[in-house]
Amino acid sequence: MSAAADALDHVGIAATDLGALAAQWEKLGFCLTPLARHSGRRTPDGPVVPFGTGNRCVMLREGYLELIAIVDPGAFSNTLDRFLARYAGIHILALSIEDEEANLARLRRAGIDIPGVAYLERPVDDADPDGPKARFARLPLPDPAEGRIQLIRHLTREAIWQERFMTHPNRALALSEVVLA
């Protein structure tokens, strides 16, 4: 297993109103996943708890776009509230990894302060809480003011990369690059 990022995984686009954001992307000809609320451990060995954020995604053959917002203002926003206080738009750049432990060790050797692997999960569809769960291992790099760069491994790729989510009326196929300016 490699201790380096090997692909562009996803880009997160944050807004204050997930419904309005999703409607805009649907008008552009994208098929979206159902609403899914995030959850995870707030500490490396803590219990899994619901977060205040939720998403709908544009799943592509390669990579995806995460449309994300705060869906419960009273719950933990995982710093999304801080990003949205600056502006709505792209705040997440996620790179794919194969081995979170090897990457954690490599980054710590380089002097980057990472508390550990953040294991996150969410239902694929909030309307079906007993249905499939999407699970992730994420290395949360220290957040710059503009957003979040993270390394991520999908533990249940089959849960969200479903054919029904990857066929778009506009025929989009892949997320091939991101230009940061």
Side-chain angles (χ1 to χ4, degrees):
M1 295 250 175
S2 172
D6 57 11
L8 175 59
D9 187 79
H10 72 275
V11 171
I13 303 159
T16 56
D17 182 340
L18 186 57
L21 180 62
Q24 290 173 343
W25 285 83
E26 287 172 326
K27 285 180 187 173
L28 292 171
F30 291 101
C31 171
L32 302 182
T33 61
L35 171 65
R37 184 170 165 181
H38 300 113
S39 62
R41 293 178 173 86
R42 299 225 16 220
T43 60
D45 52 350
V48 173
V49 297
F51 289 176
T53 56
N55 72 15
R56 296 196 57 200
C57 296
V58 174
M59 301 307 301
L60 300 162
R61 304 278 171 201
E62 296 175 30
Y64 66 100
L65 301 169
E66 177 185 26
L67 309 180
I68 185 170
I70 298 170
V71 295
D72 180 354
F76 176 63
S77 81
N78 202 16
T79 69
L80 189 61
D81 55 345
R82 184 170 54 94
F83 299 145
L84 286 169
R86 293 196 64 206
Y87 61 88
I90 294 175
H91 282 288
I92 300 169
L93 174 62
L95 304 173
S96 176
I97 57 172
E98 293 179 10
D99 185 336
E100 61 274 10
E101 294 297 335
N103 275 278
L104 177 62
R106 177 180 61 86
L107 293 168
R108 284 179 170 168
R109 281 192 308 273
I112 299 172
D113 184 26
I114 298 176
V117 177
Y119 289 97
L120 306 172
E121 63 181 60
R122 63 174 174 79
V124 171
D125 183 350
D126 265 18
D128 184 12
D130 296 324
K133 300 267 190 274
R135 292 186 171 87
F136 313 88
R138 179 174 74 92
L139 292 177
L141 299 172
D143 284 340
E146 293 79 18
R148 174 174 297 137
I149 298 173
Q150 61 191 13
L151 303 178
I152 194 164
R153 182 167 72 93
H154 290 266
L155 305 175
T156 55
R157 283 186 65 84
E158 70 285 353
I160 58 174
W161 263 282
Q162 297 180 34
E163 188 63 36
R164 66 186 172 131
F165 300 141
M166 294 189 296
T167 303
H168 304 283
N170 66 12
R171 297 187 180 159
L173 296 174
L175 176 62
S176 60
E177 69 180 341
V178 174
V179 176
L180 300 175

